Amino acid sequence: MALREVLQFPDPRLKRKSERIETVTDELRELATDMLDVMYDEPGIGLAAPQVGASVRMIVMDTEWTEEDAERSPIVVVNPEIVTREGTITWNEGCLSVPDFQADVERAERVVVRGTDLDGKPFEEDARELRAVCFQHEIDHLDGMLFIDRISRLKRSMYVKKRKKQLREEQEESGPSVRSGRGL
Ligand code: NI
């Protein structure tokens, strides 16, 4: 079966605030499985539902897994919320929805996250460093926020320019071969 497509900046759906999940339906369970498939395939260490076009508050993560060490320990968190933040840490972040770019982002060094799992059981984790950064990054996605919204305006606008150029080039390669305005 084909994997779900990861939406990429500047897709407007990435800017929406996602809805709280009241009931975990079979459809949402399927979405969680699909999200994990996409995450491992890319590969990535975290993915939020809006990145695959589903505007609901659910994230998946596996910060342990690497391509070399194939052991997987995925988590799925429904309605994740940060209840405690402490300290600061700067991490060089990237995102599957922000192609070809990484930048330093300042975040809390430690967070306590609460939510539920797919069976409605309470989830709580006290996370630090990479794990804490990942939770904050994924939960940002649920609020329509990308890591490039947390860097300096200058760096952000440089990226936006680069990305627009990239999209123009992609379009020219696959676009119509007949162009107007050339004095024909
Ligand atoms: Ni991301």
Side-chain angles (χ1 to χ4, degrees), residues 35-137:
M35 283 166 64
L36 285 168
D37 287 346
V38 169
M39 183 183 79
Y40 288 120
D41 180 72
E42 285 280 343
I45 57 170
L47 193 74
Q51 289 182 276
V52 291
S55 200
V56 290
R57 302 188 79 82
M58 180 161 73
I59 62 170
V60 298
M61 269 171 53
D62 186 349
T63 52
E64 305 295 308
W65 179 83
T66 62
E67 275 173 292
E68 294 75 45
D69 174 13
E71 193 154 331
R72 295 177 175 188
S73 39
I75 57 161
V76 177
V77 190
V78 173
N79 299 326
E81 257 178 86
I82 295 170
V83 294
T84 306
R85 295 168 195 268
E86 263 179 33
T88 53
I89 191 170
T90 301
W91 206 275
N92 195 253
E93 293 186 27
C95 177
L96 299 176
S97 296
V98 182
D100 308 314
F101 187 63
Q102 290 195 318
D104 285 350
V105 183
E106 200 181 281
R107 305 246 187 211
E109 189 272 335
R110 176 183 167 227
V111 293
V112 177
V113 179
R114 279 191 200 143
T116 67
D117 67 11
L118 287 172
D119 298 317
K121 290 198 195 94
F123 169 93
E124 182 171 317
E125 188 178 319
D126 188 339
R128 309 197 83 129
E129 299 188 358
L130 170 64
R131 190 96 176 154
V133 166
C134 198
F135 273 117
Q136 291 168 85
H137 178 117

